[in-house]
Every structure is written in structure tokens, then in C-alpha cells.
Amino acid sequence: MKTPIEETVKAMAELKREGKIGAIGLSEVSAATIRRAHKVVPIQVVQVEYSPFALDIEHKEIDVLRTCRELGIAIIAYSPLGRGFLTGQLKSPDDFAEGDFRKFAPKYSKENFPKNLELVRKIEALAKHKGCTPGQLSLAWLLAQGEDVIPIP
């Protein structure tokens, strides 16, 4: 049985009132879920993947970034280094260890891997031009998206 988000955030609000937690946040939720939760109790933060490799929250169909901004909710951007792409360690899908979820995710398939490496090369070239590492460039880009975006490498 799934618990409705309204019940979940009510329980979180009680924990906050009791001083057991400092803030209420959600992770990997839709814009509709954010709105439903926020009607019950103010949501302070939403954690979502956000990087040059994961721009979904910017898409109008997804609407998470706009919704969070409209409601005054900060974004915790996880995997800002492209889940390892910008570290320079990933050269092929064979680089993933046994059991690594990326081994089975479509984004990292043998068909899509070259597209990701193409983006890495573009970021590397721009980073070289700027005199920084690709990871530093990605973090700087995220920080430039607004004070409401907080990357967690």
C-alpha cells in the first residue's frame, strides 16, 4: 500500500514541530506531488538530479524547476558531475562495476554512451578554455542557475 504524500508530509510536519527535524524536503518527485505536499505544509527543499547531463527539471513537461521557484522551494542538485562522466573515469559502459545500476540504465547503454562522451568532450573543451576542470565548470554552471540551486557533488 502506498501512503499518500499528504499523510507523509503531515507526519514530517509533526516531527518538525517536535524539533526532531529542521526542515521538510522531498526527493525525486513530480511537480504535481510537490504542489500536493506544499498545500499541506511548506516544503523547503526538493532533491533532484541536475547537471549538464540531466536537465529534465527544466523541461516544461516535467515543470519541477518552475514549480519549486514559484513556491519558494530550494533545489538540491545531486550528481552534478554527471554520475562520474565529468571525473574522466568513465570511457565505456564496461567501466561500471558489477551491480552498478548504470550498467542497466538506458542513459548509459552502449548505444547512448557515445552521446554522453560527446557532451563530456564539449565540456572538457570549454573547461580548458576557462582554465578549470570539467567538474568545476559543471558546479559553476549549477551555481549560476540561481541561489535556489545547491549542488551536492
Side-chain angles (χ1 to χ4, degrees):
M1 178 175 151
K2 291 188 177 187
T3 304
I5 191 65
E6 292 84 355
E7 288 182 39
T8 301
V9 296
K10 278 182 191 174
M12 293 168 78
E14 182 58 32
L15 292 171
K16 186 174 179 183
R17 276 190 292 279
E18 292 172 3
K20 294 180 180 175
I21 62 173
I24 297 175
L26 304 173
S27 180
E28 292 293 333
V29 291
S30 69
T33 298
I34 294 166
R35 288 183 185 286
R36 286 174 47 209
H38 198 74
K39 282 182 182 177
V40 175
V41 60
I43 303 300
Q44 282 86 27
V45 66
V46 169
Q47 181 178 316
V48 64
E49 185 172 2
Y50 192 23
S51 77
F53 293 90
L55 301 171
D56 299 353
I57 71 166
E58 294 180 355
H59 298 168
K60 287 182 182 176
E61 311 82 58
I62 305 292
D63 209 27
V64 168
L65 184 59
R66 190 188 67 74
T67 298
C68 285
R69 287 190 165 150
E70 175 188 319
L71 299 174
I73 300 170
I75 298 284
I76 300 292
Y78 73 80
S79 294
L81 303 180
R83 294 189 184 259
F85 273 111
L86 294 178
T87 64
Q89 297 174 351
L90 301 177
K91 304 294 182 200
S92 131
D94 299 328
D95 292 338
F96 300 127
E98 197 60 42
D100 188 322
F101 86 94
R102 294 173 294 182
K103 208 171 186 87
F104 309 102
K107 185 177 192 176
Y108 304 96
S109 69
K110 290 192 184 295
E111 297 78 27
N112 289 325
F113 210 90
K115 296 172 193 169
N116 288 312
L117 288 180
E118 185 178 322
L119 178 56
V120 169
R121 284 190 291 277
K122 289 177 181 178
I123 292 171
E124 286 173 340
L126 186 55
K128 185 176 180 181
H129 178 74
K130 297 283 185 182
C132 63
T133 68
Q136 289 169 327
L137 183 65
S138 180
L139 292 171
W141 174 81
L142 274 168
L143 290 169
Q145 298 312 300
E147 290 182 14
D148 57 347
V149 177
I150 304 151
I152 55 169

